[in-house]
Amino acid sequence: MRRPRGAALAAAALWCAGTLPALAAEAKGSFDLDGDGVAENVTAAGKGGRVDVTVENASGRRLGRLRAPSPASADMIALAAGDQGSAGALLEVEVMGGGETCRSFWRLRASGFDRVPLRDGAAEIPDCDREGWSGTWLRPEGSVASVYRRERERDLGGRRHAVTQVFSWTGFALERDPGAGAASIDGMPIPRWPASEMFPLDVLPRLPEAFDFEPLRTSPRLLLEAEPDVGGFRARWKDGDGEIVLPIRSASVGEEGLRLEASEGDGAASLFVVVHSGLPVEVTVQGLGKRFDRVYVPVTRRRSDRVVLYPTAEEDVAREILPGTWSGMAGGRVVIEPASGGPARVAVDGHAYRVSIREAPPGTDVALIPTEGSGQAWGIDLRTETGFVRAPAQCSADAPGGPLRCKTTAPPGELFRRVGARLNR
């Protein structure tokens, strides 16, 4: 089991809280698993693809037994534990063989062992893999509880990707801490920026006040794609004529913010990024020519206590502009609510739609496209903050899976006005 280097531990202000294992077909260790201040004796023995673990107290009485996940051949076994204070320590059983490593985590209870899953959000991380992860238990300075840190280095197309993840005990699982850990590519840190489209500063309308979305439909968009866990860090520009994708090759910090250099083949660009509260709020691009050399900003909304950054302009429309109850001048009534099931979704009178600006029919601002495969599409023409008209639309794609071309099939109908105050203000 590869353990982090001392320099890395010092940089993280952490010290080891577990016991470094001895690697063998059989492993033994002593850990205080129940938190009573007295260590229990743990023995793990492997035979073929089977690993049995027993725990006894100092008098030799068995307290628990478990069968740990194992590769088809258990060549080496390692035991470690992470102290959780008065709750006792969590037991880690690591089994290696045939290029595969299986890790499992356990908590000793009066009735035996409870399995402790390793989770990344809602996903449970598999016990066994061939991805080269190593792990160790660390105790943050000033804390009574240890955290579990795992790390990996690998080659990605000639570039070196390194990632570190940190997990904390929550009482039922070891949950990944999204704010801890780090990742790099060729030694360059990969930031944890959320995916967010950015638009040229000179064309991005103030969406609550300006309702001509034509500039958004035709202008370029910039997306900084930071994917720490998989080693991705690139800039993507796209407009109606296509897209350019350039990997980020280097990053440096200057007085004005972060400077990124992106290149691939004959394409190269410099990006000057202003970061606020850990988020990119302005990007100046140079090197791509008139088409894409712009100052870009994301779609944001100011709240009394924070700034909300939306991943797309469509998401802003779906969350900020359309939701509410709308009353028609001819007596109609429409209820629009934010919906789940995908990005930029709304429910209109109970029916699910996807909001699109690029696919809006000519003469309208946004298209509402049914997500259920059938139903009426609509073109929405936003007149003011509190009013819109809509027209039925028909949408079709030039190629399977391609963008839709929408056109209205009838003139706009009655004018709808908002009832009450706008939501999410």
Side-chain angles (χ1 to χ4, degrees), residues 81-149:
D83 187 10
Q84 302 301 315
S86 60
L90 300 180
L91 177 65
E92 177 192 1
V93 182
E94 182 181 43
V95 186
M96 292 156 280
E100 186 176 19
T101 300
C102 297
R103 293 180 183 84
S104 55
F105 303 87
W106 306 85
R107 184 184 183 191
L108 181 63
R109 308 293 292 271
S111 58
F113 278 100
D114 284 348
R115 184 68 179 275
V116 176
L118 194 67
R119 293 187 179 277
D120 186 354
E124 187 169 324
I125 296 174
D127 299 320
C128 304
D129 65 68
R130 297 177 178 269
E131 298 182 2
W133 290 98
S134 65
T136 192
W137 291 94
L138 308 167
R139 182 179 295 166
E141 187 175 4
S143 174
V144 298
S146 301
V147 299
Y148 183 72
R149 188 174 85 169

Side-chain angles (χ1 to χ4, degrees), residues 234-318:
R234 55 193 169 270
R236 184 185 303 270
W237 295 263
K238 55 185 178 180
D239 60 13
D241 296 324
E243 68 176 20
I244 296 176
V245 182
L246 298 178
I248 305 298
R249 302 293 182 179
S250 66
S252 59
V253 179
E255 294 182 0
E256 301 299 325
L258 187 64
R259 175 170 180 161
L260 306 178
E261 298 295 339
S263 64
E264 184 84 312
D266 295 332
S270 298
L271 298 88
F272 302 88
V273 185
V274 177
V275 179
H276 179 70
S277 299
L279 299 174
V281 296
E282 182 179 293
V283 180
T284 301
V285 175
Q286 297 177 359
L288 294 180
K290 185 178 179 180
R291 178 182 172 193
F292 289 124
D293 281 2
R294 307 283 190 91
V295 178
Y296 296 84
V297 293
V299 178
T300 59
R301 294 280 179 162
R302 292 193 176 275
R303 299 283 188 264
S304 59
D305 59 341
R306 68 193 189 282
V307 174
V308 178
L309 185 149
Y310 281 109
T312 64
E314 286 83 356
E315 191 73 28
D316 179 274
V317 173

Side-chain angles (χ1 to χ4, degrees), residues 271-404:
L271 298 88
F272 302 88
V273 185
V274 177
V275 179
H276 179 70
S277 299
L279 299 174
V281 296
E282 182 179 293
V283 180
T284 301
V285 175
Q286 297 177 359
L288 294 180
K290 185 178 179 180
R291 178 182 172 193
F292 289 124
D293 281 2
R294 307 283 190 91
V295 178
Y296 296 84
V297 293
V299 178
T300 59
R301 294 280 179 162
R302 292 193 176 275
R303 299 283 188 264
S304 59
D305 59 341
R306 68 193 189 282
V307 174
V308 178
L309 185 149
Y310 281 109
T312 64
E314 286 83 356
E315 191 73 28
D316 179 274
V317 173
R319 299 289 172 181
E320 298 281 351
I321 295 178
L322 290 180
T325 300
W326 302 81
S327 179
M329 301 298 288
R333 192 176 181 88
V334 174
V335 177
I336 303 177
E337 300 173 300
S340 58
R345 299 295 198 267
V346 295
V348 182
D349 293 334
H351 299 284
Y353 290 86
R354 173 173 63 87
V355 177
S356 175
I357 294 175
R358 286 202 182 278
E359 297 164 316
T364 67
D365 294 305
V366 298
L368 298 186
I369 301 170
T371 60
E372 299 160 353
S374 61
Q376 180 64 63
W378 296 93
I380 304 294
D381 183 12
L382 296 163
R383 296 294 177 85
T384 66
E385 182 183 13
T386 58
F388 71 81
V389 295
R390 65 178 181 175
Q394 186 177 57
C395 302
S396 61
D398 295 334
L404 299 178

